[in-house]
Amino acid sequence: MQAAWRQDIPMDILISSDADGAIQRAGRFRVENGSSDESCGQAPGVWRRMDVHLENPEYHTRWYFKYFLGKVHQNYIGTDAERNPFFLSVVLSDQNNQRVPQYRAILWRKTGSQKICLSYCPTKTLSVKSILSAMNLDKFEKSPREILNPEIQKDLLVLEEQEGSVNFKFGVLYAKDGQLTDDEMFSNEAGSESFQKLLDLLGDSVTLKSWIGYRGGLDTKNDTTGTHSVYTVYQGHEIMFHVSTMLPYSKENKQQVERKRHIGNDIVTIVFQEGEESSPSFKPSMIRSHFTHIFALVRYNKQNGGYRLKIFSEESVPLFGPPLPSPPVFTDHQEFRDFLLVKLINGEKATLETPTFAQKRQRTLDMLIRSLYQDLMPDLHKNMLNRRSLSDVLPESPKSARKKEEARQAEFVRIGQALKLKTIVRGDAPTSLATTGLCRREPWESQCFCNNFSHEAVGGDSWGPSLLVSTDSGVLLIDDGQPAIPVFDRSLQIRQMHVLEPLDLLITRADKGKDARLYVFWLSAIRKDLEDNQAPRNKYECRENKLEKTRGCHLYAINTHHSHELRVVVAIRNKLLLVTRKPTALNSGAGSSPVEAFQYIREICLSDPPMVMTLVDGPTGENDNLICVAYRHQYDLVNESTGETGRLHYVDASRVHFVAAIDVYEDGEAGLLLCYNYSCFYKKVSPFNGASPLMPPSASDFHFSWNQIPHAVVCAFPYILAFTTDSIEIRLVVNGNLVHTAVVPELQLVASRSDIYFKASTTTGGSSNSSSKDTSSHSSPQTPTGYQPPPFPGSPGEGDVHCRNIYKILLSNLVGRSIERPLKSPLVPKVAPTPTVIACTPVTHSLSLSRMEIKEIASRTRKELLGKRTTTPTLHLCSHKAQLFLSPGLSEGSQRQKKLSQKPGEDEAKQEAVRSTSTDRINAGSFESSSEGQRPLSTSSDPESTVSAEDSPPFSGCLFHLTASFDEDIVDLK
C-alpha cells in the first residue's frame, strides 16, 4: 500500500540557481501541507488529536537492552544453510509486572534482527529448534551452540545499536523575509523575537562547556561550536538542536562553513521563515545539502499567535505520520511542540529505511556478525561454547544447587547490569517515558462494558448499542450495565454470526460437523420476542430458519461493503455455495420467512477446504466479484462468476497459522491484508483475467511482521490491531509501524464489526493488583547472588480474585478525527440499497456500516501525507452515512447519532486541560525526578533503579496500561 501511494505523489522539481542562472541543485521532494481547503468549518487549533504517536518507539524495539541485558538469558551461535552466521538470544521475562510470563527471542542476521514472543507453559518445554522454526529458519550448516561467556552481552548490544540512535540532532535554520539562498540564511547573526519564542518552545537553553548530556556533535570543552545551544528530552529521546544563530558566525566566510557543517549534515532541519504567507516561500532546493532529507517549514502568525507547518520529504523516504491537520495551523503551542517533535523523530527514523542508509546499515551489521563469529570460532572446542544438542530444550530454572553455575549466572547478571548503566550514562538508551505524549488519552482506551462475565464467549456482533454474544450457555443480549437477556438457549450452539440492521437480518452458523447449518432470522421478530418476555428460542423452534443447502458448513463470509445485493459464500468442506438476498425480497413486515428472502446462485469446487475466506468487491460489481480463500500454504482468488482460481500469495513456511484476509480499498481499487503466522502482507488485487494461475507481484506490495502471532486482526484505519492471548499490538496500516502494545491478560476478541468488544481478566484484592499505578512503581529486580527465577505464579495469590469482564474500544475514537471533518469518498456506491422499514434499535457507529468511511479515511490520510490536494464535500460523514444506508424507520435515531458524533469529547477536553507543558523537559545536566522513581544519573548507585522507568505512566478508565508489552498464545511449533 505504501508503494502504491507513492505512485500518486506530486513531485516538484525544486531548482535553485545562483545570480548568473547556473543550476546548483535539483531535487525531488513531496510536500505535505494539510488540505488546501482553508474554508472548512473547523477553526485552527481547536481540534484534539489522538493520532500523534511515535512510530516504532525504542521501548518497544530495543528489546535486548530492555528485556535481556542485566538478566539471566541464553545466547546461541550457528550458521544457516548458506553458511551465513547468526546469533539467537532467548529470555524468559515478565510482562511488565503483569504476571504474564513469556519467552522473547531475537535472531540476529546480516539482514537485520527478527523479534518474536512465545508463550510460556510450565508443563511444556521450548526447544531451540522450535524457536528457529517459528522464525522460518529450519536448515543449518552448523547447529546452534550456547555461548556461556558473559562478555557476549556487550557484542550483542552493539548489534542492536545498529538499529539507529535513540537520540537525535535536528537543525534549526533562521530565514528572514525575502531570503532565498542558503548563504543569506546562514549569515543571520541573530534571530527575531518570534524565532526566540520557537526556540523556547522547543527546549531549554544550555551551556555547552562541561555539558554531560547528549551533545549531538557539539564541542563541550572549548566552545568551538558556540557557547550555548537548545536541548530537550521527549519520550525518552534526548534531542540537541543545531541552531544557526547560536553556531559560530564568521564575517570573513560568507558561506558560513562552520554552521553548514552541522546543519547541512542533519537528516532533519527546521526552517523558521519570517514574513507573510504571500511572500516567497522556502524550497528545499535552496539548501545545498545532499544529506538533509526532511525540512519542516515553520511560520508564525503574530495576529492569532498560531504556527503554520509544512513538511518537505525527499522522495525516497517512506511515509511517516502523523499527517498534518487541515488547515496545518496550531494555536495551542504545546500541541504544536508535541506534533512537531513526533513528526521529526518519525521522519528521521523513516529516513534510515531509505536504500542509501539501509544498505550501509546492512553492510555494517554483516561485517560485525561475521567478525564476532570469527572471534568465537577458535573456542568451538573449548568450554566457551556449550555443545547442547539442537533438539534439547532451553535451560529453564536451574534446579541444581551447583555453586559454580550460580556463580557464573551471578557474574553474567552483574556484567549485564553494569553494561546497562554504562549505556544509559553514555546516552545511548531511552531514559524516561514520563511525558505528555504518554499521559494523554489514547484512541485505543477501553471501557468496561459488562462486569463478571462468567460465560465462555464463542463470538458475537453488535446490535445497536447492545452486544449479541454466543456463549456455552446460549446466545445472550448484553446492554451496558444491564443483566444479560437470553435470546437462544444452549441447544442451538452458534459459532458465527452477523447482525445486519439495515436489512433486518441476523445470519448465524450453528452446530458443527454434519449438523452445521446457516440460520437466518428477522431481527424485528427477535426483538418482539424480547419485548413480550418470551422464553429463549431453542433449536427445534428454529428449524424453519435453516438454509437447507448449507448442511455441513464450517465457514461462511458476507460482503461487508454496501452495494445493491447481499452476497453470502458458504464453505462446505471444499465446496463454496454462493447465496444472495433476492432483490425483490419482502421485509419482515409482510410476515414472510427470512429463508424465502435468499436464493442459491452456484457452487464452486476447491482443491481443499478453506480456513479463511473473504469477499472482495469488484470495481464494477458485474461478474468481477472475487473470493479470497486460504488453505494449505497459499491464498487464492476465486472469480464468483466463473469459478476460475488464481494464486494471490504463497506462504513459504513449514507450518502456517492463517489468521485473516482483510479487504481494504485505495481510490476504488481493492487490496488485501493477508495475516498469517507473524506476517502481514498487503497485496493489490489485480484485474482477474484468468490468463495466469499466479498473480504477478506488484510495486504496491509490502509487508510487516508482528511481534506475536495474533488470533484475530481488526483494521480500523489508520490502525490495525492484533489480538493475542495476553496483549493487543497496535500498528499503523500505512507503513506497519508499531505505536503501542497493551498487556491484556486472558484476552479474547468477541466482536469487531462495530465497536471492538473483547473479554479479559483483571486481578483484584491482593498485592499483585495490576493497576497502572502499581505497575509503574515497580523497580527491576536487584542483582541476585545466585539465579532467581522470575516469580510467575500459576494461580492467583492469596487474596486475589480474577474477574472476567467484557471491555469495549469505541470505533469513533480510533477513526474519530475523520468523523469531525467532511470527507469525499474515493468510491461511489454502485447502487444505493433499497430502504426497508425496520422496528429495531437505532444504528450506532459501526465498522460494518462505515466501510465507505474507512475507505474515505484511507484516501484522505494518504493524500495528507503525500500533499495531494483534494476538495471536500459539505456533508459530515455521519449524516452522509445515514442518508446512504439508514432506513426511514431509523431517522430519529440517526439524527441523535449524528449529534453525538459531532459533539466534542468532554473527557478528552479534561485530559487535555491538565496536560503539563514541561513534563518532558529536563534541567541542564540532570534528569527530573518522576513518579517512577528516576534518579539523576550522576548520583545513582543502583543500576536497576536507574533504569526502572520501564513502565509507562498510567491513565484512568482503561483496562490495559501504556506499558511496553508483548505476549501471545503460540501455536504448537514443534
Side-chain angles (χ1 to χ4, degrees):
M1 189 185 303
Q2 183 186 45
W5 291 2
R6 281 195 185 153
Q7 295 175 0
D8 299 326
I9 294 174
M11 295 294 180
D12 295 331
I13 300 179
L14 307 173
I15 302 174
S16 63
S17 57
D18 55 17
D20 59 1
I23 294 178
Q24 298 293 332
R25 175 175 178 264
R28 292 179 178 269
F29 280 75
R30 62 172 182 262
V31 183
E32 188 180 348
N33 193 27
S35 171
S36 61
D37 184 9
E38 300 294 339
S39 61
C40 61
Q42 189 144 19
V46 300
W47 44 268
R48 292 292 181 266
R49 301 191 68 97
M50 299 182 69
D51 59 351
V52 181
H53 313 293
L54 284 182
E55 300 172 13
N56 294 331
E58 265 65 26
Y59 53 89
H60 284 305
T61 57
R62 292 272 171 147
W63 276 24
Y64 193 77
F65 174 84
K66 178 175 174 61
Y67 298 106
F68 291 73
L69 198 60
K71 300 177 177 65
V72 174
H73 62 277
Q74 287 76 47
N75 300 295
Y76 298 85
I77 186 174
T79 54
D80 59 21
E82 286 76 31
R83 298 186 177 183
N84 294 313
F86 66 84
F87 292 87
L88 175 69
S89 299
V90 185
V91 69
L92 179 63
S93 65
D94 185 6
Q95 276 285 66
N96 300 293
N97 302 300
Q98 295 288 320
R99 308 177 70 183
V100 180
Q102 66 175 181
Y103 288 105
R104 296 178 188 269
I106 306 176
L107 179 63
W108 316 87
R109 308 179 76 174
K110 69 176 184 178
T111 54
S113 62
Q114 182 180 354
K115 305 170 180 127
I116 64 171
C117 292
L118 298 164
S119 60
Y120 170 80
C121 179
T123 59
K124 182 180 178 181
T125 56
L126 191 65
S127 67
V128 178
K129 181 178 181 181
S130 64
I131 295 176
L132 293 173
S133 178
M135 294 175 164
N136 293 327
L137 183 58
D138 296 298
K139 298 179 180 179
F140 311 98
E141 196 266 336
K142 288 185 179 180
S143 297
R145 296 291 182 264
E146 185 179 2
I147 307 172
L148 300 180
N149 190 331
E151 297 294 334
I152 189 65
Q153 297 175 93
K154 181 178 181 180
D155 299 310
L156 296 180
L157 186 61
V158 172
L159 296 184
E160 183 172 71
E161 289 172 353
Q162 302 310 307
E163 296 178 357
S165 173
V166 300
N167 300 319
F168 299 89
K169 52 187 181 71
F170 297 143
V172 183
L173 179 60
Y174 175 68
K176 294 180 180 179
D177 188 12
Q179 291 184 337
L180 300 178
T181 66
D182 54 357
D183 287 346
E184 292 175 330
M185 300 176 192
F186 281 103
S187 296
N188 294 321
E189 294 187 56
S192 64
E193 181 182 352
S194 300
F195 181 61
Q196 187 58 47
K197 287 182 179 179
L198 174 66
L199 297 181
D200 294 339
L201 183 64
L202 291 176
D204 302 307
S205 178
V206 297
T207 303
L208 290 177
K209 197 161 191 176
S210 303
W211 173 252
I212 62 174
Y214 174 67
R215 62 187 184 92
L218 299 179
D219 181 13
T220 58
K221 295 182 179 179
N222 302 312
D223 290 339
T224 60
T225 57
T227 59
H228 292 79
S229 189
V230 177
Y231 168 90
T232 191
V233 171
Y234 188 83
Q235 296 197 23
H237 301 283
E238 293 184 74
I239 303 174
M240 180 65 79
F241 295 94
H242 294 159
V243 184
S244 61
T245 56
M246 290 184 170
L247 291 168
Y249 171 77
S250 174
K251 293 183 180 181
E252 292 78 18
N253 188 342
K254 294 183 178 180
Q255 294 187 350
Q256 304 299 329
V257 176
E258 183 62 25
R259 292 180 171 182
K260 292 181 180 179
R261 182 170 69 89
H262 289 283
I263 298 179
N265 285 312
D266 290 332
I267 295 177
V268 178
T269 294
I270 301 171
V271 178
F272 183 85
Q273 189 168 42
E274 298 278 11
E276 302 296 331
E277 290 297 320
S278 58
S279 60
S281 181
F282 167 84
K283 292 183 179 180
S285 53
M286 298 175 182
I287 306 298
R288 289 171 289 186
S289 169
H290 294 284
F291 197 80
T292 305
H293 284 62
I294 295 171
F295 293 93
L297 178 63
V298 178
R299 287 181 180 267
Y300 181 72
N301 189 326
K302 296 181 180 179
Q303 295 180 352
N304 62 11
Y307 288 96
R308 176 176 287 270
L309 180 63
K310 180 188 290 187
I311 302 294
F312 299 88
S313 302
E314 206 274 332
E315 62 176 340
S316 63
V317 178
L319 296 180
F320 60 95
L324 265 65
S326 175
V329 176
F330 303 77
T331 55
D332 186 318
H333 292 180
Q334 183 59 33
E335 283 191 350
F336 173 65
R337 179 177 188 270
D338 288 346
F339 186 96
L340 179 62
L341 293 181
V342 170
K343 187 72 173 177
L344 299 187
I345 292 174
N346 289 343
E348 179 156 328
K349 289 182 178 180
T351 303
L352 296 179
E353 299 302 321
T354 58
T356 301
F357 288 96
Q359 291 171 5
K360 290 180 180 179
R361 186 172 64 252
Q362 182 172 329
R363 287 196 300 266
T364 302
L365 188 62
D366 185 23
M367 179 191 66
L368 290 174
I369 290 177
R370 291 185 180 278
S371 175
L372 181 57
Y373 180 78
Q374 292 297 326
D375 291 342
L376 295 174
M377 282 295 292
D379 297 305
L380 280 174
H381 302 289
K382 298 181 181 180
N383 293 329
M384 182 180 176
L385 295 178
N386 185 7
R387 293 195 168 272
R388 184 178 281 112
S389 169
L390 173 64
S391 60
D392 285 350
V393 300
L394 291 175
E396 301 260 349
S397 307
K399 298 179 181 179
S400 171
R402 292 177 302 174
K403 293 184 178 180
K404 182 178 179 181
E405 178 65 14
E406 291 179 354
R408 186 195 71 81
Q409 292 179 348
E411 179 68 7
F412 190 93
V413 171
R414 185 192 66 79
I415 291 178
Q417 290 184 343
L419 186 60
K420 197 168 193 175
L421 176 61
K422 182 179 179 181
T423 304
I424 293 177
V425 173
R426 192 173 66 239
D428 292 334
T431 54
S432 171
L433 303 181
T435 68
T436 58
L438 288 180
C439 290
R440 70 172 185 267
R441 183 182 178 188
E442 297 290 6
W444 46 80
E445 178 178 337
S446 65
Q447 60 189 49
C448 187
F449 182 76
C450 178
N451 284 313
N452 297 323
F453 189 78
S454 58
H455 305 280
E456 287 297 325
V458 179
D461 202 357
S462 295
W463 186 2
S466 306
L467 175 66
L468 196 65
V469 57
S470 176
T471 71
D472 53 346
S473 302
V475 177
L476 304 175
L477 183 66
I478 305 174
D479 252 330
D480 192 358
Q482 301 297 322
I485 303 173
V487 179
F488 300 98
D489 66 14
R490 64 188 310 165
S491 64
L492 189 67
Q493 293 291 322
I494 293 180
R495 312 287 177 180
Q496 192 178 354
M497 71 170 68
H498 284 85
V499 176
L500 306 178
E501 295 179 71
L503 302 179
D504 193 28
L505 280 173
L506 170 64
I507 303 177
T508 66
R509 177 174 61 86
D511 296 325
K512 59 182 178 179
K514 295 182 179 180
D515 296 329
R517 295 285 199 288
L518 246 63
Y519 291 76
V520 291
F521 305 89
W522 294 125
L523 286 174
S524 53
I526 296 176
R527 177 169 294 280
K528 187 176 185 304
D529 289 347
L530 296 177
E531 292 174 349
D532 296 342
N533 294 321
Q534 296 286 339
R537 299 189 186 192
N538 56 39
K539 184 176 180 180
Y540 179 77
E541 295 171 333
C542 299
R543 64 189 184 280
E544 300 298 330
N545 297 86
K546 287 192 273 188
L547 294 179
E548 287 299 333
K549 290 189 177 182
T550 61
R551 184 173 184 266
C553 63
H554 68 277
L555 186 67
Y556 81 90
I558 69 171
N559 59 322
T560 53
H561 305 283
H562 291 273
S563 59
H564 65 283
E565 65 175 359
L566 168 68
R567 310 196 323 272
V568 184
V569 175
V570 186
I572 308 171
R573 293 180 294 278
N574 65 329
K575 180 179 70 175
L576 299 184
L577 177 65
L578 274 66
V579 184
T580 65
R581 183 177 181 271
K582 297 177 182 178
T584 58
L586 298 175
N587 57 39
S588 59
S592 62
S593 167
V595 174
E596 298 174 357
F598 289 87
Q599 60 184 352
Y600 303 97
I601 304 300
R602 65 179 60 87
E603 292 182 358
I604 299 174
C605 288
L606 304 176
S607 59
D608 289 273
M611 303 175 67
V612 167
M613 194 162 57
T614 299
L615 274 64
V616 182
D617 293 340
T620 66
E622 299 178 359
N623 301 323
D624 60 355
N625 292 323
L626 303 173
I627 310 169
C628 178
V629 293
Y631 45 67
R632 293 187 299 188
H633 285 72
Q634 66 204 56
Y635 285 89
D636 285 355
L637 283 178
V638 182
N639 188 296
E640 283 188 12
S641 301
T642 65
E644 294 180 336
T645 303
R647 179 74 51 78
L648 178 65
H649 180 68
Y650 179 78
V651 180
D652 186 13
S654 57
R655 295 192 180 187
V656 185
H657 171 62
F658 289 110
V659 180
I662 303 173
D663 50 333
V664 293
Y665 292 80
E666 271 301 305
D667 289 338
E669 297 183 359
L672 285 163
L673 286 169
L674 308 177
C675 302
Y676 60 89
N677 294 0
Y678 289 90
S679 300
C680 186
F681 271 80
Y682 173 79
K683 299 285 289 187
K684 179 64 69 68
V685 177
S686 304
F688 197 98
N689 54 21
S692 172
L694 182 64
M695 292 289 177
S698 169
S700 62
D701 297 347
F702 80 99
H703 78 280
F704 60 87
S705 296
W706 304 103
N707 287 328
Q708 354 22 353
I709 291 184
H711 295 306
V713 174
V714 177
C715 183
F717 207 95
Y719 305 103
I720 181 168
L721 293 77
F723 290 79
T724 73
T725 303
D726 296 295
S727 63
I728 303 176
E729 188 173 330
I730 304 160
R731 293 177 177 267
L732 299 178
V733 182
V734 174
N735 48 28
N737 285 345
L738 179 70
V739 293
H740 185 67
T741 304
V743 179
V744 187
E746 300 182 71
L747 171 67
Q748 180 188 1
L749 180 66
V750 176
S752 61
R753 275 170 34 89
S754 63
D755 295 331
I756 300 171
Y757 296 87
F758 60 89
K759 183 181 175 184
S761 70
T762 56
T763 305
T764 60
S767 60
S768 59
N769 191 315
S770 59
S771 69
S772 296
K773 292 183 179 180
D774 291 343
T775 301
S776 63
S777 63
H778 286 312
S779 298
S780 302
Q782 301 298 315
T783 307
T785 54
Y787 177 78
Q788 297 177 2
F792 298 142
S795 59
E798 184 178 356
D800 290 348
V801 178
H802 274 202
C803 299
R804 298 297 298 273
N805 303 333
I806 292 181
Y807 297 87
K808 177 170 71 173
I809 301 176
L810 294 175
L811 180 69
S812 59
N813 285 350
L814 292 172
V815 299
R817 88 185 165 91
S818 67
I819 298 174
E820 300 171 0
R821 293 161 54 186
L823 301 172
K824 184 177 180 180
S825 172
L827 286 181
V828 178
K830 293 184 276 288
V831 179
T834 304
T836 56
V837 179
I838 316 166
C840 61
T841 306
V843 178
T844 58
H845 189 71
S846 166
L847 189 60
S848 60
L849 291 179
S850 63
R851 289 291 184 174
M852 294 296 294
E853 178 182 275
I854 298 300
K855 301 170 196 175
E856 294 166 10
I857 302 163
S859 176
R860 184 187 54 74
T861 305
R862 169 181 62 83
K863 291 170 182 176
E864 282 184 347
L865 289 174
L866 301 181
K868 196 170 183 180
R869 307 203 167 187
T870 62
T871 58
T872 54
T874 57
L875 287 178
H876 282 273
L877 265 182
C878 292
S879 58
H880 171 70
K881 182 181 69 177
Q883 292 178 8
L884 283 179
F885 304 130
L886 298 187
S887 64
L890 301 179
S891 59
E892 182 180 354
S894 65
Q895 292 298 322
R896 290 198 301 267
Q897 176 64 17
K898 175 183 174 182
K899 292 178 181 179
L900 287 175
S901 64
Q902 295 174 354
K903 181 180 179 181
E906 295 178 359
D907 293 339
E908 190 174 343
K910 292 178 181 178
Q911 290 282 347
E912 294 291 339
V914 299
R915 288 173 57 184
S916 169
T917 60
S918 60
T919 25
D920 57 338
R921 304 277 189 97
I922 67 168
N923 293 326
S926 63
F927 293 94
E928 288 182 342
S929 175
S930 72
S931 60
E932 297 168 331
Q934 289 179 279
R935 303 172 186 175
L937 294 180
S938 59
T939 60
S940 176
S941 59
D942 181 2
E944 283 300 315
S945 66
T946 306
V947 296
S948 64
E950 296 178 350
D951 299 304
S952 308
F955 63 92
S956 60
C958 182
L959 165 71
F960 45 80
H961 322 306
L962 291 174
T963 52
S965 52
F966 312 84
D967 191 63
E968 79 271 352
D969 184 14
I970 194 73
V971 297
D972 185 7
L973 296 174
K974 284 196 172 184

